[in-house]
Amino acid sequence: MDLTEIVRGAFEKAFQGEDFSNVKVVPATDPKFGDYQCNDALKVAKKVGLKPRDAALKVAENIGSAIKVEVAGPGFLNLTVSPEWLAAELAALAAAPGCGIPQNGAGRRVVIDYSSPNAAKQMHIGHIRSTVIGCAIDRIFRALGYEVIADNHLGDWGTQFGILIKGYRECLTQEERDNLTVANLEKCYVLSAAKAKEEDGVWKDACRAELVKLQQGDPENLALWKKFIEISIGEFERMYAKLGVKFDTYRGESYYNPMMPGVVAKLLDMGLAKESEGALIVDLSEEKLGVAIVRKSDGGYNYTTSDLACVESRVKDYDPERIIYVTDDRQQLHFKQFFSIAAKMGYTGVKLVHVPFGLMSFQGKAISTREGNLIRLEELLAEAKRRALAIVAERGGDEALAEAIGYGAVKYADLSHDPATAIDFNWDKALALEGNSGPYLQYAYARVCSLLEKAGSSGDGTFAVATPSEKRLALQLLEFPGAVVRAAEAYKPSVLADYLFQTAQLYSSFYQSSPILKSEESVRNARLSLCALFGEVLKTGLGLLGIETPRHI
Ligand code: ARG
C-alpha cells in the first residue's frame, strides 16, 4: 500500500471522525532523518486538542510494523521503511501499467493551446519553446488519463493577408505561384510590405483593398487565403512530424473572427465595456491591469477580443475543466487581462492557465528579427541531426539514430529548465554526453538495455534492497508517479526532467558500487529487476518529454 495511505490510515485510527485527506508524506530531506517524513501532526494538533508532539506520538502508535517511526522535535514523523516494504512496493511499481502513473485525470478534459505560429511564415528558433514545452505538458496530461485537446491557435487572420495577397499577385513569378511554398510567401510578404511603405501610399491602399475584399468574403481572395493557410499548415506539420508533435485541431484566429461582434455586444450588455476616444475598452484599473481595448476606433477587433471569443467557443464545444496556454512571457499582461474579463463574463467553470516561458537566446546571442539571426527551425533541426550523426557514426549509428539524439538534445536543452526562466541554447551543452543533457539520459537508457541483454534477463520481478546505493535508487524510483503528478500540477516539464536526471545519477552510483552479473543468483536477479525498472522509468519519463529512447547507441 502507498505510504501516504498508511500514514493517513494511522491519523484516522488515532483521531476518529476527522478528515485527513490532506495528510502528506514526502521524501526526507536528509537520509539521517529516515526515508520519508510527515509534518501534518503539527498541523492537526489543535484540531484534535493535543500538543503537537502528543498528536504525533499517537499517530506513530497506529502506523504498524512495516514502517519504523520516530517522533522528532516538536512533532515531526520520521519514517524509515523496511526492506520488505520496499521490495513489495518496487514489485508493485514494476507490475503496474504505465509505471504507476495515477489516472487522476480520468473523465476530465483539458484544452492545451500551444505552438500557435503565424501562418505564411517559416517556423524559426523562437517557436521551439512553445512547441516543445506545450507538447510535453500535453503528453504528461494524457499520461495522467486526461482527455487532451491539443489546439494550435494559428495566427491566420489580420492585416498581413492584404499585404500577402497583393504580394502574391505582383511580386512572384508564375512559376513561384504554381509551386507555392511558405518560403515564397515569406519572400512576397517582405517585398510587398516594403512597397507598402512607399510614400505615395498607392501600394498600401491596394493592400488594404485586398484585405477588405478578403474580409467581405470575396471568393478569389478567400481561396488565396485558404491556399496560404493550407500550405503553411503543411509546412508546420513537416516540423511537427520531426518533433513528434500532433495537434487535434488547428483552429486559428480566423475561426473566431465571426464571433467577435457577439462578444463585444455581450460586454456592452453586461456593462463591462465602455467607449473611450472612439474605442471600446474594458477598464481593469481596479485590478491594476490597466485597460484592455476590445474594439479599436477603426472598428477592428484585437487579440483580447479574439481570445474571449475563443474561450466562449471552447467552453461551448468542449466544456473543458481547464484551458492551458503556452506562450512567451511578454504576453503575460494580455493573459491576465483577458482571464479577468472572461471571469467577469461568467466563465468561471473553466480554469484558465497561462504557462509563460522566458526568452531563448542562441549561443549567447539574443535572437531578433532585426538582427536577422532568426535561424529557421528546419535548419536548426538539420544541424542537430548533422552534429548527432558525427557522434553516432563512429559506432555505426544511422540517420534515424542521429535524429533521435539530435532532436532529443534540442528538446531536452529546453525542457530541463524551468519554463519561467530565460535560457540559452548552446550546441556543446545540448549534445554533451556527460552532464544534464538529453544524450546523457539516452545513453543511460541504452546502457541499461545492453546490460539486460548481456544478462539475458530483466530479473524475475522480485526485489531485495540491501545496500545504501540500492536503497537510494529504490526510493527514487518509487517517486516516479509523484514526479509526473508534480510536473503536471506545476505545468513544468522541468520537474520531470530534474527527476530523471537525478534518477540516472543514482542509478550510476548504484551501478558502480554493485556487482550485478557476477553476483550470486538471487542478488543478481534482484539487481537486474532494479535495473529493468530503472530502464522502464527512464523510457516512460523521456517519452513524456517527447524524447525517444533507442535501445542501441
Ligand atoms: N499566435 C500567437 C503568437 O505568435 C500565440 C497564440 C497563443 N494562443 C492564444 N490563444 N492567444 O504569439
Side-chain angles (χ1 to χ4, degrees):
M1 190 176 27
D2 188 86
L3 198 56
T4 304
E5 277 168 46
I6 297 179
V7 176
R8 276 184 196 160
F11 272 84
E12 278 156 14
K13 261 201 240 155
F15 315 109
Q16 281 163 15
E18 298 284 346
D19 174 20
F20 293 110
S21 54
N22 284 332
V23 164
K24 252 205 323 232
V25 174
V26 293
T29 44
D30 183 332
K32 73 173 185 268
F33 300 135
D35 303 322
Y36 294 93
Q37 62 197 50
C38 171
N39 305 336
D40 288 285
L42 290 138
K43 294 185 199 149
V44 305
K46 213 164 160 194
K47 191 159 76 174
V48 300
L50 287 178
K51 283 192 194 131
R53 207 181 146 82
D54 294 336
L57 286 166
K58 194 150 178 211
V59 174
E61 279 164 25
N62 285 285
I63 277 185
S65 58
I67 317 287
K68 197 175 119 223
V69 204
E70 248 171 42
V71 175
F76 299 117
L77 292 161
N78 291 340
L79 310 165
T80 306
V81 297
S82 67
E84 296 72 31
W85 182 88
L86 256 184
E89 287 293 306
L90 289 165
L93 183 64
C99 279
I101 299 173
Q103 297 302 291
N104 297 349
R108 299 163 70 177
R109 188 180 294 147
V110 298
V111 173
I112 311 184
D113 174 324
Y114 64 98
S115 194
S116 309
N118 291 330
K121 282 192 189 157
Q122 305 189 74
M123 288 180 82
H124 56 75
I125 169 168
H127 292 110
I128 292 180
R129 297 209 81 186
S130 177
T131 308
V132 165
I133 297 169
C135 174
I137 294 177
D138 175 339
R139 287 168 180 261
I140 289 170
F141 272 79
R142 283 180 211 260
L144 287 162
Y146 285 87
E147 183 193 339
V148 173
I149 296 158
D151 190 358
N152 195 324
H153 192 84
L154 289 181
D156 64 354
W157 198 247
T159 46
Q160 71 269 33
F161 287 95
I163 301 172
L164 267 168
I165 292 175
K166 177 79 178 150
Y168 169 86
R169 292 221 166 94
E170 317 240 348
C171 306
L172 292 182
T173 63
Q174 187 56 41
E175 205 193 326
E176 285 169 329
R177 278 195 290 269
D178 291 343
N179 305 293
L180 198 60
T181 59
V182 176
N184 282 338
L185 282 174
E186 213 165 58
K187 180 178 129 187
C188 76
Y189 178 82
V190 171
L191 293 172
S192 178
K195 284 181 169 254
K197 290 205 179 92
E198 283 169 5
E199 247 166 54
D200 62 14
V202 175
W203 192 278
K204 192 174 175 195
D205 290 345
C207 293
R208 177 87 208 147
E210 296 292 11
L211 179 67
V212 171
K213 272 172 78 183
L214 174 66
Q215 287 167 337
Q216 290 170 347
D218 170 75
E220 224 174 283
N221 278 10
L222 211 53
L224 276 183
W225 170 79
K226 274 207 182 107
K227 184 163 152 178
F228 298 168
I229 303 303
E230 256 162 43
I231 289 172
S232 305
I233 293 182
E235 182 91 10
F236 298 154
E237 285 195 326
R238 252 175 4 94
M239 298 307 116
Y240 294 146
K242 289 182 203 281
L243 292 171
V245 179
K246 268 206 198 89
F247 288 95
D248 299 298
T249 136
Y250 283 88
R251 280 189 180 172
E253 288 174 24
S254 65
Y255 183 85
Y256 306 102
N257 189 51
M259 305 169 201
M260 304 230 248
V263 168
V264 168
K266 196 163 168 185
L267 287 169
L268 281 169
D269 255 13
M270 297 179 80
L272 292 170
K274 61 177 188 207
E275 288 256 354
S276 169
E277 295 168 34
L280 267 187
I281 60 156
V282 179
D283 187 353
L284 299 167
S285 49
E286 251 175 48
E287 286 129 279
K288 300 207 163 50
L289 294 176
V291 156
I293 299 177
V294 290
R295 197 178 65 205
K296 293 181 275 187
S297 51
D298 67 3
Y301 302 102
N302 60 14
Y303 198 33
T304 307
T305 333
S306 158
D307 260 327
L308 289 170
C310 177
V311 169
E312 179 169 276
S313 155
R314 284 173 177 161
V315 166
K316 186 163 95 267
D317 290 352
Y318 309 125
D319 189 24
E321 109 179 354
R322 254 182 273 191
I323 307 177
I324 302 165
Y325 303 82
V326 185
T327 81
D328 74 63
D329 56 14
R330 291 169 303 184
Q331 298 195 25
Q332 296 209 60
L333 179 62
H334 163 72
F335 282 98
K336 283 190 185 139
Q337 288 185 333
F338 111 71
F339 287 179
S340 157
I341 302 173
K344 292 182 204 290
M345 290 177 83
Y347 295 110
T348 45
V350 56
K351 187 166 159 196
L352 304 176
V353 183
H354 183 211
V355 179
F357 55 81
L359 290 185
M360 181 165 100
S361 55
F362 184 73
Q363 309 255 71
K365 283 214 186 82
I367 301 170
S368 99
T369 340
R370 251 172 275 136
E371 309 250 326
N373 62 354
L374 272 187
I375 299 167
R376 289 189 302 116
L377 184 53
E378 182 157 34
E379 266 169 46
L380 183 94
L381 294 178
E383 172 86 4
K385 180 174 168 182
R386 195 181 61 69
R387 288 179 182 251
L389 196 56
I391 298 171
V392 299
E394 289 169 21
R395 310 173 192 220
D398 60 5
E399 300 223 341
L401 184 61
E403 286 178 359
I405 307 254
Y407 302 167
V410 169
K411 292 182 196 178
Y412 191 84
D414 187 326
L415 297 173
S416 53
H417 294 93
D418 185 326
T421 58
I423 60 168
D424 182 54
F425 183 86
N426 175 284
W427 281 119
D428 292 336
K429 213 171 150 221
L431 283 160
L433 299 179
E434 291 300 325
N436 193 5
S437 74
Y440 168 74
L441 293 176
Q442 287 172 316
Y443 268 95
Y445 179 72
R447 268 200 294 267
V448 79
C449 287
S450 67
L451 171 75
L452 298 175
E453 269 168 34
K454 199 160 151 205
S457 150
S458 300
D460 53 5
T462 65
F463 293 82
V465 178
T467 68
S469 70
E470 252 170 344
K471 185 167 180 183
R472 274 197 297 278
L473 176 61
L475 288 168
Q476 174 78 1
L477 290 172
L478 293 180
E479 285 303 308
F480 176 65
V484 176
V485 171
R486 279 187 291 118
E489 280 171 353
Y491 307 101
K492 288 184 196 298
S494 55
V495 169
L496 181 57
D498 285 348
Y499 166 85
L500 294 174
F501 180 53
Q502 273 172 24
T503 310
Q505 286 177 308
L506 289 174
Y507 174 77
S508 166
S509 12
F510 153 76
Y511 181 78
Q512 275 159 28
S513 61
S514 321
I516 299 173
L517 299 180
K518 293 202 179 94
S519 294
E520 58 92 4
E521 190 165 337
S522 69
V523 175
R524 176 185 149 109
N525 270 332
R527 289 189 172 159
L528 285 171
S529 300
L530 200 59
C531 294
L533 182 58
F534 164 68
E536 274 312 296
V537 161
L538 190 55
K539 179 186 163 83
T540 308
L542 285 174
L544 295 180
L545 299 180
I547 296 174
E548 284 180 48
T549 39
R551 294 184 64 86
H552 298 280
I553 294 186

